[in-house]
Amino acid sequence: MGKLIKFQVADLPDVLLVGKEIRHSMEEQMKGNNPIPAFWDRCFAEDIFSVFQKQAYSIFKSDYVGVMTDWDKGDGDFSYIIGMLMKPGADVPEGYVSHVIKATKVAIGWIQGKDVADVCMNAHELTEKALEDKGHSCEKMTWSMELYNCPRFTSPDENGQIILDYYIPIDK
């Protein structure tokens, strides 16, 4: 099982999330029907990240992100966006979606585990518990973000462990 090895609160400035999006039913997700791994496979097969290199000067952070959100819909479904964080004003390639993430304080948990499933399955719960233990709340949370940092996530350590960075916006 993944474990929290680091926790911090940081300021995230205004950023532009740019990527590919799927909509999915939370009810289906809770039943175990999870299309997200196949969506990642499709995004890599379609090489969606190559377009960002054409405007490298606009990349806020070079890590790939997966953002779960219920922005704008309120229908019980959620969006999952795979992409990158860009500086405000970056060009949005045709066929991609974009959302401005307004400046906010975020809780960042480093979740360590043996594989992708191990860290992703526990990231939200572990980070949310840590932020509450530190006296913060996330009651108004409308998004959460997996940030796949290189090399923490992409290069296992000497024990074969990887680390996922997990962001939750905090209210206070």
Side-chain angles (χ1 to χ4, degrees):
M1 182 170 125
K3 65 181 179 180
L4 179 77
I5 62 165
K6 182 178 177 180
F7 176 82
Q8 68 185 53
V9 172
D11 291 314
L12 181 68
D14 285 351
V15 292
L16 183 65
L17 169 63
V18 179
K20 295 289 187 165
E21 176 182 39
I22 60 169
R23 298 271 309 150
H24 186 57
S25 161
M26 185 57 81
E27 183 179 328
E28 288 297 312
Q29 184 79 11
M30 299 309 278
K31 290 178 183 176
N33 177 10
N34 183 0
I36 295 171
F39 184 44
W40 273 101
D41 290 344
R42 190 176 92 217
C43 287
F44 280 120
E46 294 174 3
D47 196 23
I48 71 156
F49 297 102
S50 64
V51 300
F52 298 115
Q53 296 311 315
K54 295 176 183 168
Q55 54 176 332
Y57 55 88
S58 292
I59 295 173
F60 171 74
K61 203 162 181 109
S62 62
D63 305 309
Y64 300 160
V65 297
V67 179
M68 181 186 283
T69 176
D70 65 353
W71 285 318
D72 306 327
K73 304 295 183 201
D75 59 4
D77 291 350
F78 66 89
S79 287
Y80 188 83
I81 301 168
I82 295 174
M84 292 185 83
L85 298 178
M86 308 294 285
K87 296 174 186 171
D91 292 331
V92 178
E94 187 174 330
Y96 287 65
V97 299
S98 67
H99 292 278
V100 174
I101 298 176
K102 297 303 265 176
T104 189
K105 286 205 177 295
V106 291
I108 304 170
W110 284 16
I111 312 303
Q112 183 181 53
K114 62 183 178 357
D115 57 33
V116 175
D118 196 29
V119 294
C120 289
M121 294 296 291
N122 301 293
H124 188 86
E125 181 180 337
L126 291 169
T127 304
E128 186 172 18
K129 181 178 181 335
L131 75 88
E132 290 171 353
D133 288 349
K134 296 288 185 185
H136 300 286
S137 71
C138 60
E139 294 171 13
K140 298 175 187 169
M141 177 180 54
T142 59
W143 59 269
S144 59
M145 177 169 47
E146 303 152 346
L147 192 134
Y148 299 93
N149 179 278
C150 179
R152 284 192 298 274
F153 185 82
T154 58
S155 298
D157 67 14
E158 64 278 355
N159 298 315
Q161 302 282 301
I162 57 173
I163 298 171
L164 173 73
D165 297 18
Y166 193 79
Y167 287 48
I168 299 175
I170 59 176
D171 303 331
K172 62 172 186 133

